[in-house]
Amino acid sequence: MIAAPTTPLNVQTGVNNNNNDSDDVRQLISRYQAAGQGHLFNFYDGLNDDDKAKLVAQLDSLNVERVNRIHQKATTCPSPMLNNQSATLAPLPEECFDSILEASKDKIQKWQTLGLTQISQNKVAVILLAGGQGTRLGSSAPKGCYDINLPSNKPLFQIQAERILKLQQLAQQQPGAVPNVTIPWYVMTSGPTRPATVAFFQENNYFGLSSDNIVFFEQGTLPCLTFDGKIMMESKSQVAVAPDGNGGVYAALRGTGVLANMAERKIEYLNAYCVDNCLVRVADPVFIGYCVSKNADCGAKVVRKSTPDEPVGVVCLRNAAFNVVEYSEIDEDVAQATNPKNGQLLYGAANIANHFYTTDFLNRVESFEADLEYHIARKKIKTVDMQTGDVIAPKQVNGMKLEMFIFDVFPFAERMAVFEVDRREEFSPLKNAPGTGADCPETSRRDILQQHVRFIKAAGGNVVVGEDDLQLEHAPTLELSPLVTYSGEGLAEIVAGKSIKTPVHVNSLEELKTIVF
């Protein structure tokens, strides 16, 4: 497990300008006063020793000058898409785009073999964005702990871990594979979700993976600000902070030592994805192989928009650079424009937050980090009245949180690759509460079970729906463990010309052999 190194101040408590204060503390106060944020010490004199130390430690770890720069950039250099500039948009260039829906079986096989080869040489790792809690789902646990009510009752973390296990087995079979194929799993949590996430992995024995190859690291935070750029306080001894968005992953990778860990392991390629997609193909060898074949330094998986007005961000060119443009920023006539060659939407590459990077690109992010765009989220933020010290729970918006999006690096890619996949096979996000009917636990369960039925049928098998199968969400209850198959491979020799009856949950290929008839 990697933790960011810290060098604490030599803190001696006491009132401002008193000899009991250390030089370090006096210098810190002067630094914050020079930055226009001296109000953060308003209540310092009245704090007890522990709270003084806590406040000093937090402020010492904070780059206040950087916070000021970020605020200035976010408020004085707004995104050009805040104004109607649809004329600056352009469709994706054909040379950087391919679709699995249109590609031949031979081409897909070549991409897959190339991807498996990279995995077999221990050149591939995955980054999991797992900082969210299941609040909307009615759970206080990290979202990856959520059980979508599969027959196996496997939570999202376990489903994804077992896909890694299966993929390691498949790559091990590649000619010239290293003796112990390993796909390191870098799990980004938020501060609040880290203890519960780590404990969940430990309690479940890391779902069969080696703990040596699972690295937890924390997403960064930024202070909450008033509209005039003053840092807000949550209490008299603590600054109010919020996660810096999923785009904070780049600074977190560097600051917590993860990039150094990747270098030690000689990792060359990364796949990053969000925890809430139950269909995600972790370290998908087809995607990895496609991006490597394009010599890409950055890549994005996309799905085809269902309708021109579907409320999703779209990967396209903005001001001649790759970017994700929100649906609300695209004029209606532009959104409806089609490609005369195939009739598909010109702006139909829906972003699903599933990305490819070279480690060289991730190391290069630091060189253009100052140019990345910060987005303002205006919020009701609990804070302290800086005159009275009273805690205020506002009824109206009173401040801002600043965040980056993970796709904000796209404009800086030198060789971008965009890969369209089949939505029903690879994208089923878990966003909403049970019973809402869209992007909820019921649709996640349905989409996995229906996929497994398709796996059996594509392998030449027949699915017989048993009389006692409740078929929730109209899906036959047939669950195949990821340890049985990663994406449908390895089933034909067992199920071709045979039948399997539901409800059934299959844990291994050996078990599958005993079930078919």
Side-chain angles (χ1 to χ4, degrees):
M1 195 179 300
I2 295 177
T6 57
T7 306
L9 281 172
N10 176 24
V11 179
Q12 298 177 19
T13 57
V15 295
N16 293 340
N17 301 318
N18 186 294
N19 289 335
N20 290 332
D21 272 323
S22 72
D23 289 341
D24 285 336
V25 173
R26 285 194 292 272
Q27 289 174 9
L28 186 67
I29 293 171
S30 297
R31 179 176 149 216
Y32 271 78
Q33 289 173 337
Q37 304 286 3
H39 64 281
L40 298 175
F41 289 91
N42 278 9
F43 308 109
Y44 182 79
D45 294 353
L47 299 176
N48 62 40
D49 289 356
D50 287 344
D51 283 346
K52 283 182 178 179
K54 184 171 72 172
L55 177 62
V56 167
Q58 185 181 25
L59 295 180
D60 180 56
S61 66
L62 182 65
N63 186 336
V64 66
E65 295 81 11
R66 174 174 175 264
V67 172
N68 286 346
R69 288 195 301 270
I70 290 172
H71 172 261
Q72 183 178 19
K73 179 177 175 62
T75 54
T76 60
C77 304
S79 165
M81 295 309 296
L82 293 177
N83 302 313
N84 182 8
Q85 293 191 15
S86 59
T88 65
L89 300 185
L92 291 169
E94 290 186 6
E95 63 270 17
C96 76
F97 176 84
D98 275 281
S99 173
I100 203 167
L101 300 171
E102 310 293 340
S104 67
K105 289 184 178 180
D106 285 345
K107 183 174 285 189
I108 294 171
Q109 184 60 53
K110 287 180 180 177
W111 290 332
Q112 183 179 59
T113 300
L114 180 57
L116 284 172
T117 298
Q118 309 311 310
I119 296 170
S120 76
Q121 299 303 308
N122 285 354
K123 294 181 179 181
V124 176
V126 288
I127 301 169
L128 169 59
L129 308 180
Q133 290 178 304
T135 307
R136 290 187 188 178
L137 305 171
S139 170
S140 60
K143 190 178 280 189
C145 302
Y146 195 82
D147 172 7
I148 58 175
N149 198 31
L150 288 170
S152 65
N153 295 118
K154 291 178 181 177
L156 295 172
F157 281 140
Q158 183 171 359
I159 294 169
Q160 293 161 22
E162 291 183 355
R163 287 179 184 152
I164 291 175
L165 277 167
K166 183 62 177 179
L167 189 53
Q168 288 177 165
Q169 294 171 7
L170 293 173
Q172 193 70 68
Q173 299 169 12
Q174 288 294 113
V178 298
N180 183 25
V181 172
T182 300
I183 303 173
W185 201 10
Y186 296 96
V187 182
M188 186 176 80
T189 71
S190 63
T193 63
R194 178 167 180 161
T197 300
V198 173
F200 194 71
F201 272 72
Q202 291 173 338
E203 291 163 6
N204 289 278
N205 197 28
Y206 298 91
F207 309 107
L209 291 166
S210 168
S211 61
D212 293 339
N213 298 318
I214 301 177
V215 178
F216 300 95
F217 67 106
E218 281 184 32
Q219 179 178 6
T221 60
L222 283 171
C224 301
L225 303 174
T226 63
F227 294 120
D228 58 354
K230 297 296 184 182
I231 295 174
M232 303 174 78
M233 298 196 78
E234 180 179 308
S235 70
K236 292 179 181 181
S237 61
Q238 186 171 2
V239 170
V241 298
D244 56 4
N246 57 20
V249 64
Y250 305 108
L253 288 170
R254 183 175 65 253
T256 61
V258 170
L259 286 180
N261 182 272
M262 292 175 182
E264 291 175 7
R265 294 174 183 265
K266 296 182 171 54
I267 300 298
E268 296 184 20
Y269 309 112
L270 282 301
N271 173 217
Y273 69 97
C274 294
V275 72
D276 60 3
N277 178 13
C278 69
L279 294 181
V280 64
R281 293 188 178 176
V282 185
D284 176 14
V286 179
F287 182 42
I288 298 292
Y290 169 71
C291 292
V292 171
S293 74
K294 289 288 189 178
N295 193 31
D297 58 354
C298 186
K301 260 192 186 184
V302 298
V303 296
R304 193 169 288 178
K305 283 183 71 174
S306 57
T307 61
D309 58 353
E310 183 183 7
V312 292
V314 172
V315 182
C316 62
L317 297 184
R318 186 181 81 182
N319 297 332
F322 291 95
N323 220 312
V324 173
V325 178
E326 293 302 322
Y327 68 96
S328 58
E329 300 170 341
I330 303 178
D331 287 345
E332 183 178 353
D333 58 336
V334 175
Q336 294 181 348
T338 57
N339 185 335
K341 293 182 179 179
N342 56 21
Q344 299 298 326
L345 294 172
L346 280 174
Y347 298 91
N351 176 49
I352 61 171
N354 189 316
H355 302 150
F356 164 92
Y357 309 98
T358 62
T359 48
D360 287 344
F361 179 82
L362 291 179
N363 280 291
R364 192 164 62 84
V365 171
E366 186 176 12
S367 68
F368 56 76
E369 203 165 40
D371 297 321
L372 292 175
E373 201 171 287
Y374 281 85
H375 309 269
I376 296 173
R378 293 170 172 81
K379 300 285 186 178
K380 291 183 286 187
I381 301 168
K382 186 178 76 171
T383 188
V384 171
D385 185 306
M386 297 310 298
Q387 301 303 318
T388 66
D390 295 335
V391 176
I392 301 170
K395 296 182 179 179
Q396 296 180 333
V397 171
N398 67 325
M400 66 175 77
K401 298 178 180 180
L402 296 171
E403 59 184 5
M404 286 190 298
F405 298 149
I406 193 168
F407 52 74
D408 286 335
V409 299
F410 285 3
F412 300 91
E414 295 175 352
R415 299 174 303 279
M416 185 77 182
V418 181
F419 191 57
E420 182 182 73
V421 296
D422 189 341
R423 180 190 294 248
R424 70 173 186 166
E425 299 295 348
E426 298 203 38
F427 187 56
S428 179
L430 179 59
K431 303 289 187 185
N432 302 320
T436 53
D439 297 343
C440 61
E442 292 85 358
T443 56
S444 292
R445 169 192 160 98
R446 176 202 67 199
D447 291 345
I448 285 185
L449 297 184
Q450 288 182 343
Q451 180 182 67
H452 294 177
V453 170
R454 290 194 298 273
F455 284 172
I456 295 295
K457 291 183 176 180
N462 179 47
V463 176
V464 178
V465 179
E467 294 179 359
D468 56 342
D469 187 351
L470 299 177
Q471 294 195 77
L472 300 178
E473 297 84 43
H474 308 290
T477 309
L478 192 163
E479 181 186 358
L480 302 175
S481 166
L483 301 176
V484 173
T485 184
Y486 176 84
S487 59
E489 80 293 329
L491 300 176
E493 53 265 36
I494 298 174
V495 305
K498 297 183 179 180
S499 298
I500 184 170
K501 187 176 181 179
T502 69
V504 64
H505 165 223
V506 185
N507 289 297
S508 67
L509 288 172
E510 290 68 27
E511 184 181 5
L512 181 60
K513 293 175 183 177
T514 68
I515 292 173
V516 295
F517 59 93

